[in-house]
Amino acid sequence: MANVTFKNNPVTLLGKEVAVGDTAPEFTVLANDLSPVTLADSKGKIRLISVIPSIDTGVCSVQTRKFNEEAASLGEDVQVLTISADLPFAQARWCAAEGIENVQTLSDHRDLSFGEAYGTIIQELRLLARSIFVIDKDDKVTYVQYVSENTDHPDYEKAIEAVKALTN
């Protein structure tokens, strides 16, 4: 598993680590209206999955806003998902307050299905570890970043480059 820290303290990630070349694992999370959302729901699209510990923190807010801005220019074939263990109601409130319209926020709070499938559950905190996954139209993982320190930003440029490489 990836070596990850939270505020410089080592944490334990649960689930199966995903690598480039893997078939993207299926998962079920909740949309802000509590309806179930699966990976299969976006089949045929390029997916950028931005995983954050909590929408109400500084780095997570910046990460979500950054990908919201980028999503507008990525085209119709790309879907940007932000997944956290926050309650769907908190995600909806935050998105409304911040004017987030190009990213779909999804909650893994109910059963940590995404976290288990992608190896992002922080055992000690019951949060998801900051990470980025890019999945192509055929459900192959083409880019992975497990951010080593959860209070650090991901590599936004590399993630966007990975998406753009699939749109050409």
Side-chain angles (χ1 to χ4, degrees):
M1 291 297 291
N3 289 325
V4 172
T5 58
F6 191 92
K7 296 185 178 178
N8 296 315
N9 296 308
V11 293
T12 307
L13 295 187
L14 302 177
K16 184 179 181 323
E17 187 170 352
V18 174
V20 170
D22 288 352
T23 297
E26 188 54 75
F27 59 84
T28 302
V29 290
L30 296 177
N32 293 167
D33 65 1
L34 302 179
S35 63
V37 175
T38 67
L39 179 68
D41 291 337
S42 58
K43 185 141 185 80
K45 290 195 176 262
I46 298 163
R47 279 70 48 103
L48 186 155
I49 302 177
S50 170
V51 184
I52 57 173
S54 178
I55 197 86
D56 284 316
T57 61
V59 176
C60 297
S61 294
V62 169
Q63 182 173 330
T64 304
R65 282 194 301 270
K66 173 74 172 166
F67 285 126
N68 183 67
E69 292 166 14
E70 293 288 346
S73 66
L74 293 175
E76 294 292 317
D77 289 341
V78 179
Q79 185 164 8
V80 181
L81 310 173
T82 293
I83 301 178
S84 72
D86 291 305
L87 292 173
F89 315 110
Q91 292 175 340
R93 176 197 45 76
W94 185 88
C95 288
E98 296 291 327
I100 302 299
E101 298 177 346
N102 301 317
V103 168
Q104 183 178 15
T105 55
L106 300 166
S107 175
D108 201 23
H109 177 77
R110 184 176 62 187
D111 57 14
L112 298 174
S113 169
F114 177 87
E116 178 71 26
Y118 287 74
T120 63
I121 301 169
I122 300 175
Q123 179 179 5
E124 295 82 354
L125 302 171
R126 200 180 190 281
L127 297 173
L128 300 183
R130 187 176 316 283
S131 47
I132 306 290
F133 303 92
V134 175
I135 302 167
D136 73 10
K137 292 179 181 184
D138 298 317
D139 293 341
K140 289 293 180 198
V141 177
T142 64
Y143 177 84
V144 173
Q145 182 189 14
Y146 289 91
V147 179
S148 59
E149 167 52 52
N150 267 273
T151 60
D152 290 345
H153 291 269
D155 191 329
Y156 300 111
E157 290 73 29
K158 281 189 180 176
I160 296 301
E161 287 172 15
V163 170
K164 288 181 177 178
L166 296 172
T167 61
N168 296 334

